[in-house]
Amino acid sequence: MNKPRQYELITEFVMHNKDNFYRLAYSYVLSPEDALDIVQDAIHKAIKSDTLKDETAIKSWFYKIVVHTALDFLRRRKRVTVASDAELEFRDTGHEDHYRNLDLEKALNELPTDYRSVVVLRYFEDLKIEEVAEMLGLNVNTAKTRLYKALKLLRVEMEEVQIEEAP
Amino acid sequence: MENKKVRNMDELKREYTSIPIPAELDQVVQSALESGRQADSGNASFSTQTGGAAVSDAGMRIESHSQTGSRPVSRPRSRSRARRSWAIGVAAVAIFVAGLNTSPAFARTLSEVPVLGNLVDVLTVREYKADKGHYEADIKVPAVGNLGDSSLEHSLNEKYLAEGQKLYDTFMAEMKAQQAIGEDGHFSVDSGVVIKTETDELLSVGRYVEETAASAATTIKYDTVDKKNHVLLTLPSLFKDDRYIDVISENIKAQMKQQMAEDSNKIFWPEPTEDIPDGFTQIAKDQNFYINSSNQLVISFDEYEVAPGYMGVVEFVIPTEKLSSFLSSQEYLK
């Protein structure tokens, strides 16, 4: 595919789906600033890339780029930042003030990123398990197994939340 | 209980879709598109890709066709270009498949490995190997002969070739998909042949496939041939009617529970549960099976099918006395 055509496709696709990509990125980094950075990086990577060969594949192609950009970001951040407990607590209360989706954030935080990916892509972005597996480079059975484990982890997590909230 | 979990997932999804979108997003997207194009305009020339239309090979669909409809010209072009880079990148591999597709005679030039002394006449194995760094394939395609019925041989061998072809396609698609996103991936496919039973009357041939990406998954398929009557045995053909499905399924469930009770290291999924909704319910009408050398029916499940991955491929020998009143013939199962 020639470059102008690819650029045109990316532009159209990104404009239509930018909210999805933002939320997907946010589900990994849980910070608006970082999520915006990831969206920006992912767009740059997509434009630079030579790998989109088939227009019909743009959806999974771009999702894949966003997921990988987010995972790269998390890996880098793990290397540089060591946050103190106090700082984490402080950040936590900050979120509580600004966002209402606290138990979503807690739940996502409880999940290792491998499991987070399958839950977010499968349930929140409504992709098929086959698509999710393909995007994450897994075979379908591995993706399913991760999904089961993730649901198990989530359920435990959610029960705890409910116990805490009970009067 | 089930309701509670579903409700929570729905709640989570609602929260997910209500993650606030910052006002800056539009701006960030716009400027990323602009700056991305400027930065990229320097190297917009041809380049040899190792990627390809892999993602589309995996059967992806686009959400909206209107997005692609505005420029009808570029579709065929992009396809032929994808083909070309495909051919450059993996010429050696492509030759093999072209051979598979076009000429059975070509297969003879591949290494032929006899399996076991007395089987030389019955079974040969053609092997295909690829080693491209982190991507490895070792695909062995069995071929049967001297069964005394050439159309039976032919249909089995066609099937084995098609399986080999499909494995190869999967391997290529996975390799291209990983390269397409610049991923230094790891992927291997290893397939081979096992003889489960070889008697004067019966031959049971199994083909296993082990695919390894982040983790491995093994599948295995069997064919059992009546060598005297030149018949490929199917599971339904062994029984008078469909009642075997329930009888065998119940026996397998009982065996699963018994094995778990006897050995805490063993885990099966004898029934669907909240966590494992895909747990075992009953065997398929044409469930994978073979007949062992003691003339007993063996039911086989792929990895992950009825048990966690670490249990591997699992098999259950069904005692013939449980089946005797349902058998269509006393010839095979004794």
Side-chain angles (χ1 to χ4, degrees), chain A residues 111-120 145-147 149-150 153:
Chain A
L111 287 178
T113 46
D114 285 348
Y115 296 126
R116 214 188 289 183
S117 298
V118 289
V119 169
V120 171
T145 307
R146 281 198 191 163
L147 201 58
K149 283 192 190 151
L153 288 171

Side-chain angles (χ1 to χ4, degrees), chain B residues 89-117:
Chain B
V90 289
V93 189
I95 287 165
F96 169 71
V97 167
L100 271 190
N101 283 338
T102 55
S103 144
F106 172 82
R108 279 182 226 123
T109 64
L110 298 165
S111 55
E112 298 206 351
V113 186
V115 180
L116 303 177

Side-chain angles (χ1 to χ4, degrees), chain A residues 40-160:
Chain A
Q40 176 181 302
D41 282 0
I43 293 171
H44 283 163
K45 273 191 202 170
I47 292 170
K48 248 187 275 172
S49 168
D50 284 325
T51 53
L52 179 66
K53 286 291 160 42
D54 184 339
E55 300 179 4
T56 59
I58 189 165
K59 180 181 168 193
S60 62
W61 178 75
F62 204 92
Y63 266 100
K64 206 187 250 184
I65 292 176
V66 175
V67 168
H68 282 263
T69 311
L71 291 176
D72 276 352
F73 182 93
L74 286 180
R75 249 175 256 134
R76 274 203 310 274
R77 186 165 73 179
K78 208 186 265 173
R79 258 183 264 138
V80 269
T81 333
V82 181
S84 68
D85 284 355
E87 191 190 339
L88 285 176
E89 226 164 274
F90 172 76
R91 285 171 67 99
D92 244 15
T93 36
H95 280 182
E96 209 164 0
D97 289 338
H98 290 97
Y99 300 113
R100 293 177 311 160
N101 52 349
L102 190 63
D103 46 324
L104 172 71
E105 296 200 0
K106 267 194 182 163
L108 289 172
N109 258 329
E110 292 288 303
L111 287 178
T113 46
D114 285 348
Y115 296 126
R116 214 188 289 183
S117 298
V118 289
V119 169
V120 171
L121 293 171
R122 173 67 188 85
Y123 288 112
F124 300 164
E125 292 293 330
D126 278 329
L127 297 167
K128 287 193 203 136
I129 189 76
E130 289 82 355
E131 293 177 308
V132 175
E134 195 274 334
M135 274 175 218
L136 300 175
L138 305 170
N139 69 51
V140 175
N141 283 326
T142 310
K144 272 190 202 160
T145 307
R146 281 198 191 163
L147 201 58
Y148 294 144
K149 283 192 190 151
L151 289 181
K152 205 168 180 180
L153 288 171
L154 269 184
R155 186 166 57 87
V156 172
E157 162 70 9
M158 298 321 291
E159 275 169 3
E160 276 171 9

Side-chain angles (χ1 to χ4, degrees), chain A residues 2 18 44 51 54 126 148, chain B residues 13 26 35 56 77 180 278:
Chain A
N2 62 34
K18 55 184 189 293
H44 283 163
T51 53
D54 184 339
D126 278 329
Y148 294 144
Chain B
K13 184 172 182 185
D26 278 3
S35 61
S56 68
R77 244 185 25 218
D278 290 348

Side-chain angles (χ1 to χ4, degrees), chain B residues 263-285:
Chain B
D263 183 348
S264 61
N265 291 324
K266 289 191 175 174
I267 295 183
F268 297 101
W269 300 323
E271 61 234 333
T273 62
E274 200 180 333
D275 292 327
I276 311 291
D278 290 348
F280 180 68
T281 49
Q282 59 174 25
I283 58 165
K285 193 171 180 176

Side-chain angles (χ1 to χ4, degrees), chain A residues 3-20:
Chain A
K3 275 281 173 165
R5 175 63 180 149
Q6 178 169 327
Y7 181 78
E8 187 190 11
L9 278 173
I10 291 171
T11 305
E12 206 167 340
F13 187 70
V14 168
M15 293 308 285
H16 270 100
N17 298 284
K18 55 184 189 293
D19 291 4
N20 292 54

